[in-house]
Amino acid sequence: MATAIAACGLTAAAAAPAWAGSPDVRNVPQQYEGLIRQAAVTCDAVNGPLLAAQIEQESEWDPNAVSSIGAQGIAQFLPGTWDAYGVDANGDGTASPFDPADAIITQGIYMCDLVSQVSTVPADPTTALLWAYNAGPQATRDANGQPPTAEAEQYANRIINELIPKYTP
């Protein structure tokens, strides 16, 4: 995982933005709690409640989920994004978006990379980060502080207002 983090140009020593938080979570299915905590310390820009809230929004914690547009697994990676970021986090020799360990750790890595890709978007950093995860970083930059799509706006609003509080200790 350190190689994947370094490949994304990230360091664990980066200064924590004001919206970063703890890896601690509550209400997470027990089999995923340790993975959420591990992914939440990938960089200072993400936290446990944010990652858990995304997973609920993306797949309702279903590691076998496949969306109508082909997003796969518990964290709903499109194949191209998975090809670019996916890691074999559990060391079983295969990186798979359907393997919760691989997908959740990759989610943390991808979120950390998205932070730098949308850092100039004139919007709340958490909102911009969620827009980028949902609609893509280029669409988020192009929207210049506005939601890139109605779906991305609803996605971010639900995660921030309903789901993050559910997972915050």
Side-chain angles (χ1 to χ4, degrees):
M1 182 172 48
T3 304
I5 295 168
C8 293
L10 305 170
T11 65
W19 46 276
S22 168
D24 293 337
V25 291
R26 67 184 177 105
N27 299 320
V28 169
Q30 185 176 10
Q31 69 268 35
Y32 303 126
E33 187 173 340
L35 295 169
I36 293 291
R37 289 174 185 268
Q38 185 179 350
V41 297
T42 303
C43 72
D44 290 333
V46 298
N47 61 54
L50 173 65
L51 297 175
Q54 279 186 279
I55 289 174
E56 179 173 326
Q57 177 66 24
E58 291 288 347
S59 71
E60 292 285 330
W61 299 96
D62 179 358
N64 299 309
V66 178
S67 78
S68 61
I69 62 167
Q72 302 173 333
I74 197 166
Q76 290 291 279
F77 280 99
L78 289 170
T81 305
W82 184 262
D83 289 345
Y85 291 91
V87 298
D88 176 12
N90 60 4
D92 69 358
T94 304
S96 171
F98 296 105
D99 182 319
D102 297 348
I104 293 170
I105 300 306
T106 298
Q107 176 193 9
I109 292 167
Y110 183 52
M111 289 289 284
C112 291
D113 189 53
L114 285 177
V115 169
S116 64
Q117 293 187 50
V118 298
S119 64
T120 61
V121 172
D124 169 73
T126 301
T127 302
L129 181 58
L130 290 168
W131 290 341
Y133 195 91
N134 179 264
Q138 187 61 53
T140 300
R141 289 189 303 269
D142 290 348
N144 196 32
Q146 298 300 311
T149 65
E151 178 185 321
E153 180 177 29
Q154 292 168 354
Y155 176 86
N157 285 341
R158 179 171 186 242
I159 288 172
I160 291 168
N161 296 316
E162 178 184 336
L163 297 178
I164 288 176
K166 174 181 176 178
Y167 293 106
T168 301

